[in-house]
Amino acid sequence: MDIKLVATDMDGTFLDGQGKFDMERLKSLLVKFKEKGLYFAVASGRGILSLEKLFAEVRNEIIFIAENGSLVEFHGQDLYEATMSRDFYLATFEKLKESPYVNTGKLLLTGKKACYVLDSVDPTYLHFSAHYNENIVKVASLADIDDEIFKFTTNFTPETMAEGEAWVNENVPGVKAMTTGYESIDIVLDHVDKGVAIVELAKKLGIDMNQVMAFGDSDNDLEMLAGVGMSVAMGNGSNSVKEVAKHITASNQQDGIHKALEHFGV
């Protein structure tokens, strides 16, 4: 198979159990990919600011698919984006407040310039969010935000995760909720996911979807894995991910991505 693009999820896939990766090994991989004419993309629920910081040393050599598919960026240029209008995210927030599962103290909005939480944010949630988001700004009201918004993120308990996600999908128009792992739910525009972003990226690069290889572990990777020519589930992936993927590799703790790349000669 003539692979031209390799895309990988981040948490639970590219990153190890401590949320880290080997930068020198990545640099070597990127050199190899460049020689072969391959593109490398990271596809994450994380915000673009977080990804740019994490990959600062190689940010001009990789493609960012951020915000669970709401934004595709390469060489500092937006190749695809899907943002919520001010009226839309304010109306969505009002609807979310009706949910018996949503705690507005555990709610974060990601934008192009910053991430936003209410002044009343739960301190524990704020600390948790800082691991995955950059430049978190407190606001008295979401109406005070002057930015383009990609998505909402919130946390549920393990016991209410499925019910909370279902409530959003059934009761909030124009959006869809998806689990990202770690008790988090992303709420994006209803036409957005990593799969859509990969399709748009392939069009921009002039490559066929059969020339795309993708790695993932969580349910927010399902659309991406379903649409590519070579889909690989991590050994630590969810059952639904393993059912959709054409191949299964070792876990993120056992060097699963590199083992699969070597196995398939990519």
Side-chain angles (χ1 to χ4, degrees):
M1 191 174 289
D2 183 26
I3 298 299
K4 294 294 184 183
L5 167 65
V6 175
T8 176
D9 170 55
M10 289 288 293
D11 297 282
T13 303
F14 184 74
L15 302 181
D16 63 22
Q18 288 71 50
K20 298 179 180 180
F21 68 97
D22 186 333
M23 176 61 79
E24 295 308 312
R25 190 172 191 182
L26 174 60
K27 288 179 179 178
S28 297
L29 181 66
L30 291 173
V31 170
K32 176 183 174 183
F33 275 21
K34 189 172 184 179
E35 291 172 350
K36 291 185 172 184
L38 273 67
Y39 295 98
F40 180 76
V42 291
S44 177
R46 293 186 183 221
I48 186 64
L49 300 175
S50 174
L51 293 178
E52 287 176 340
K53 181 179 179 180
L54 195 61
F55 293 98
E57 293 182 46
V58 292
R59 62 174 293 180
N60 291 321
E61 300 171 58
I62 64 178
I63 300 168
F64 297 114
I65 301 172
E67 318 283 1
N68 257 323
S70 298
L71 176 67
V72 180
E73 181 188 284
F74 189 32
H75 291 156
Q77 300 296 314
D78 293 349
L79 302 185
Y80 168 80
E81 69 173 29
T83 58
M84 300 178 180
S85 70
R86 184 175 185 275
D87 287 346
F88 183 89
Y89 68 73
L90 290 178
T92 298
F93 176 63
E94 290 303 313
K95 196 67 180 176
L96 289 173
K97 287 195 293 185
E98 299 175 10
S99 171
Y101 305 101
V102 174
N103 177 351
T104 58
K106 296 182 178 180
L107 196 68
L108 177 141
L109 284 72
T110 60
K112 282 191 171 183
K113 296 185 288 188
C115 299
Y116 305 91
V117 295
L118 292 170
D119 286 339
S120 56
V121 63
D122 180 289
T124 302
Y125 177 74
L126 182 60
H127 179 74
F128 168 87
S129 297
H131 288 289
Y132 303 97
N133 300 278
E134 292 296 318
N135 193 22
I136 300 177
V137 176
K138 291 183 179 181
V139 293
S141 166
L142 299 190
D144 297 335
I145 297 173
D146 179 21
D147 198 353
E148 295 182 68
I149 298 301
F150 293 111
K151 64 180 174 68
F152 289 81
T153 298
T154 189
N155 277 22
F156 295 135
T157 66
E159 294 77 23
T160 62
M161 177 73 75
E163 293 88 347
E165 179 182 4
W167 189 96
V168 174
N169 288 326
E170 292 167 8
N171 294 279
V172 186
V175 302
K176 64 180 175 185
M178 58 182 77
T179 58
T180 65
Y182 308 100
E183 300 178 16
S184 290
I185 293 282
D186 275 357
I187 302 168
V188 298
L189 291 168
D190 58 9
H191 61 276
V192 166
D193 56 54
K194 293 181 185 180
V196 172
I198 286 282
V199 169
E200 293 300 321
L201 173 59
K203 289 179 185 177
K204 295 285 187 181
L205 298 178
I207 63 178
D208 190 271
M209 288 300 289
N210 284 326
Q211 297 175 302
V212 182
M213 182 180 195
F215 294 87
D217 74 302
S218 294
D219 287 2
N220 64 326
D221 300 317
L222 289 172
E223 293 86 356
M224 175 174 69
L225 295 173
V228 301
M230 183 177 287
S231 52
V232 186
M234 304 304 291
N236 53 290
S238 68
N239 290 334
S240 52
V241 164
K242 291 178 179 177
E243 289 171 3
V244 166
K246 296 181 176 72
H247 308 280
I248 300 175
T249 187
S251 74
N252 63 322
Q253 293 279 58
Q254 299 170 319
D255 212 18
I257 289 181
H258 290 282
K259 286 180 179 176
L261 292 175
E262 291 174 6
H263 176 77
F264 291 109
V266 178

